[in-house]
Amino acid sequence: MSSATRANSAADAAQTKDGHGHDSVEGEPHGSVRGYVTGFVLSAILTAIPFWLVMGDVIGNARITGFVVMAFAMVQVVVHMIYFLHMDTRSEGGWTVLALIFTATLVVITLVGSLWVMHHLNANMMPMSAEDMKQHMP
Amino acid sequence: MATQADTATSGEEEALRFYETEDHPHAPATLIGFWLYLMSDCLIFAVLFATHAVVGRNYAAGPSPADLFDLKLVALNTAMLLFSSITYGFAMLEMQKDRRAATLLWLGLTGLFGIVFVCLEIYEFAHLIHEGATPQRSAFLSSFFVLVGTHGLHVSLGIVWLAVLMIQVGVRGLEVDNKRRLMCLSMFWHFLDVIWIGVFTFVYLMGTLK
């Protein structure tokens, strides 16, 4: 079997798997009712819990609540990526995931870098509030 | 020998790949290109989030998030955007089955949820400004209005895009071009929902925490 024939039969198989004619856009992400409902239910739960934690002040410690809420947000972003945006490593030959990883890297650098630099700048500035004054004065 | 075989196979390949030259061979390129646009849009939001993270606690002796934000309203807003995400998903499923009326119905519902979202946000902004919590009041409020306002502007333009596409689908049906456009808007819409997760978590929930 020559490479061309193999490539063609693979493409044919991909088309048959698509299940619809040539008027569909190729590379189209395929969702299902089940997938969307799963994503929706998961998102609803992952949204409701952080709101409940903050509004009801369930944990009682702002710092821990903050971290928990942030963890829920990260999980929910992944849920949306998988069930709503149909991200997987195979779509577009992996380029969407590669672009996403690159963007995520830049986002982390932007966020962590800004906070890091500005925190140090703040720490070296004159104290602004009375509380800060007390902390910084001998 | 090898070169001969190569040219032979490439010739064969060209002859057999008739289905690719038919309609729109560039459709997949459009989708990856639109994805790259969304990633660049993501960077805009990253910068706005970073700004808010830096100045979000600088109230300039003005109101703090705990004084201003009504978390029930935010929860309602979040629900609207989440509902619109799943209705858009159902629209895409109907589109794949080539059912025009059902697609338009779900798209219409998506648009309605989007409009409610934007209206609630405008109400919230108007309420804040009425209370004197204007963007000029403090660094926290400046960055809050820019970040949430940019997201709201995206959703508003998404609604305009949705309305235009509904007219196009209504007039010309679910043809290849319209399907491709609907898929781009689908990515845009779900992407905005992902950004909103960041907004309600970092700005509203974590802002309200002492």
Side-chain angles (χ1 to χ4, degrees):
Chain A
M1 193 192 249
S2 79
S3 64
T5 336
R6 235 179 301 148
N8 265 307
S9 56
D12 280 348
Q15 270 223 327
T16 335
K17 206 180 70 188
D18 265 5
H20 30 66
H22 64 274
D23 64 330
S24 74
V25 182
E26 284 184 53
E28 173 179 333
H30 290 267
S32 61
V33 177
R34 199 192 161 90
Y36 279 114
V37 171
T38 312
F40 178 76
V41 171
L42 281 176
S43 305
I45 295 169
L46 290 168
T47 307
I49 294 176
F51 270 96
W52 170 66
L53 285 178
V54 174
M55 287 166 90
D57 197 14
V58 181
I59 295 178
N61 181 325
R63 185 176 287 268
I64 297 173
T65 312
F67 278 116
V68 173
V69 166
M70 212 151 58
F72 271 105
M74 279 171 188
V75 176
Q76 202 185 343
V77 167
V78 175
V79 166
H80 274 245
M81 291 276 177
I82 292 170
Y83 289 103
F84 290 157
L85 282 165
H86 310 295
M87 289 289 297
D88 58 50
T89 47
R90 280 167 292 122
S91 62
E92 307 284 359
W95 285 106
T96 44
V97 173
L98 202 64
L100 181 71
I101 293 169
F102 176 62
T103 313
T105 313
L106 289 185
V107 169
V108 169
I109 293 173
T110 313
L111 286 172
V112 176
S114 304
L115 282 171
W116 187 18
V117 170
M118 294 311 287
H119 175 76
H120 280 275
L121 280 178
N122 260 342
N124 289 324
M125 289 299 233
M126 285 292 286
M128 297 293 284
S129 69
E131 272 176 52
D132 283 343
M133 289 274 223
K134 272 183 216 152
Q135 272 184 1
H136 288 273
M137 291 293 190
Chain B
M1 265 318 265
T3 356
Q4 270 180 338
D6 276 355
T7 37
T9 36
S10 67
E12 197 184 345
E13 218 168 352
E14 256 176 14
L16 287 172
R17 278 198 180 168
F18 51 87
Y19 53 83
E20 271 202 341
T21 50
E22 263 184 20
D23 286 324
H24 290 266
H26 299 299
T30 308
L31 292 182
I32 182 77
F34 194 77
W35 178 254
L36 292 180
Y37 153 69
L38 286 182
M39 291 298 100
S40 70
D41 217 13
C42 189
L43 293 180
I44 293 180
F45 281 107
V47 172
L48 294 177
F49 272 115
T51 312
H52 193 76
V54 169
V55 301
R57 300 265 169 188
N58 298 0
Y59 310 131
S64 73
D67 307 325
L68 293 174
F69 297 153
D70 179 6
L71 286 184
K72 280 177 197 149
L73 192 72
V74 181
L76 187 64
N77 239 349
T78 309
M80 289 302 120
L81 217 52
L82 202 53
F83 278 129
S84 79
S85 256
I86 194 173
T87 53
Y88 203 108
F90 289 151
M92 292 301 285
L93 294 176
E94 295 297 339
M95 183 200 84
Q96 280 165 13
K97 290 176 195 152
D98 285 312
R99 289 190 208 144
R100 174 153 71 167
T103 308
L104 282 175
L105 180 74
W106 285 116
L107 286 178
L109 267 176
T110 309
L112 281 181
F113 280 125
I115 289 169
V116 172
F117 173 85
V118 172
C119 288
L120 283 174
E121 201 163 286
I122 290 172
Y123 165 77
E124 189 198 15
F125 279 12
H127 186 66
L128 289 180
I129 290 168
H130 181 72
E131 282 188 332
T134 56
Q136 303 96 302
R137 184 61 190 82
S138 63
F140 147 66
L141 281 166
S142 303
S143 68
F144 164 80
F145 274 99
V146 174
L147 173 55
V148 181
T150 306
H151 179 270
L153 206 60
H154 274 76
V155 177
S156 309
L157 291 174
I159 294 167
V160 173
W161 187 4
L162 185 75
V164 172
L165 276 188
M166 282 178 72
I167 295 168
Q168 284 199 321
V169 170
V171 173
R172 302 204 297 180
L174 287 170
E175 36 141 44
V176 183
D177 283 336
N178 281 341
K179 281 189 174 181
R180 193 191 61 233
R181 288 165 190 150
L182 282 172
M183 277 192 285
C184 286
L185 181 56
S186 165
M187 284 199 273
F188 186 71
W189 200 264
H190 293 309
F191 166 77
L192 287 180
D193 205 3
V194 172
I195 298 293
W196 183 253
I197 298 172
V199 174
F200 81 71
T201 304
F202 288 102
V203 178
Y204 289 101
L205 292 182
M206 289 176 71
T208 315
L209 292 170
K210 294 285 180 208

